[in-house]
Amino acid sequence: MRTLCMMVGVLLAFHGAVLAGQNASRELVLEPVLVTAEKTESDLQQVPQSVTAFTAERIEAECRQFEESFRATFVNHCGYLFDYVDGGNADWSVRPNQLLAIALDFSPLTLRERKAVLDICTRELKTPKGIRSLSPKSQGYTPYYVGRQEERDRAYHQGTAWPWLTGFYLEAYLRVYRMSGVNYIERQLIGFEEELFYHCIGTIPELFDGNPPFSGRGAISFAMNVSSILRA
């Protein structure tokens, strides 16, 4: 039986498990409980501990097992993460999905591994207008979002740069370098200031070409990009 492991879904499951473990450590019940506006945390803590589905210790053990399995599955010898693993086959494409593994609150990777992932994303994916959806060194790289509809559709996730991914990149950078990375982060945001006066005043377009001059493409305004830059 072949198993397909998609990095993003696995990461979100891990993130939820860690949060559940924190709740369990506060002796909150994890089994289905009808919660209404009248129920308070103290009410829930009065439920007998015997009905608790998972203890904090068990969830912590599962999280450790997840970390080991995630690293064994996705970390490759080049220092970055496979985009997906399907049985014995792995996708070696350098894509920005791996940023989630180092940008979320709880990462299954060590600090050394997170820095290695960040370094390759900086070298191959970062542009002044966003994060490329595919590395120029990977097969199928298509940086320009131009041409007929079918041509633009093929380029959509094959090298165009997305501003909303910049938010995850900057979060990851801050988690690796902490306060020493603040000046760097501020410099990265400067590249978006001029875009506020093109296309649609005061906003950011949907995506940009992955190669210079990094022209804005798609919708003239894209809420996901705006919110990500504001959050950063």
Side-chain angles (χ1 to χ4, degrees):
M1 180 73 69
R2 287 170 48 174
T3 302
L4 176 63
C5 297
M6 301 300 292
M7 185 195 310
V8 174
V10 175
L11 278 170
L12 293 178
F14 171 66
H15 198 264
V18 174
L19 291 175
Q22 291 182 342
N23 286 339
S25 67
R26 292 196 295 268
E27 297 184 355
L28 294 181
V29 176
L30 298 180
E31 280 190 342
V33 176
L34 179 61
V35 179
T36 65
E38 290 74 23
K39 279 188 176 292
T40 64
E41 183 173 333
S42 60
D43 294 326
L44 294 175
Q45 289 178 335
Q46 294 175 6
V47 177
Q49 193 171 4
S50 59
V51 302
T52 302
F54 295 100
T55 64
E57 291 77 13
R58 178 177 174 182
I59 293 179
E60 288 174 359
E62 290 180 348
C63 288
R64 286 193 296 271
Q65 182 180 5
F66 174 91
E67 291 175 351
E68 295 172 359
S69 297
F70 183 91
R71 294 168 63 203
T73 301
F74 289 106
V75 179
N76 60 50
H77 67 268
C78 294
Y80 66 97
L81 305 183
F82 294 124
D83 195 52
Y84 70 82
V85 176
D86 186 1
N89 300 317
D91 184 359
W92 288 80
S93 301
V94 177
R95 291 188 180 273
N97 295 322
Q98 58 190 311
L99 284 172
L100 272 69
I102 58 176
L104 294 175
D105 292 337
F106 308 104
S107 174
L109 304 180
T110 66
L111 179 59
R112 182 188 297 268
E113 291 167 339
R114 280 179 279 160
K115 186 179 183 302
V117 170
L118 184 64
D119 287 346
I120 197 166
C121 288
T122 300
R123 291 195 305 269
E124 300 189 20
L125 300 180
K126 187 179 74 68
T127 78
K129 305 299 182 182
I131 305 300
R132 291 187 180 101
S133 49
L134 181 66
S135 167
K137 297 181 180 180
S138 296
Q139 184 177 5
Y141 178 66
T142 309
Y144 296 108
Y145 187 74
V146 294
R148 298 187 302 274
Q149 183 66 53
E150 59 269 23
E151 294 174 313
R152 298 198 305 272
D153 289 345
R154 284 196 295 269
Y156 202 62
H157 295 293
Q158 291 296 106
T160 54
W162 292 81
W164 71 269
L165 289 169
T166 299
F168 285 105
Y169 171 79
L170 296 180
E171 282 189 83
Y173 196 95
L174 192 61
R175 292 187 187 282
V176 171
Y177 291 101
R178 301 188 181 277
M179 293 305 296
S180 63
V182 171
N183 289 337
Y184 174 84
I185 290 173
E186 291 177 346
R187 293 197 301 272
Q188 302 312 303
L189 294 174
I190 292 176
F192 293 101
E193 290 184 357
E194 62 182 5
E195 295 301 326
L196 299 177
F197 302 96
Y198 297 151
H199 310 291
C200 183
I201 302 299
T203 188
I204 302 173
E206 183 177 1
L207 70 163
F208 293 82
D209 289 337
N211 281 1
F214 305 108
S215 300
R217 305 289 185 183
I220 61 174
S221 180
F222 203 62
M224 191 159 62
N225 290 341
V226 175
S227 63
S228 179
I229 298 302
L230 289 174
R231 185 168 59 88

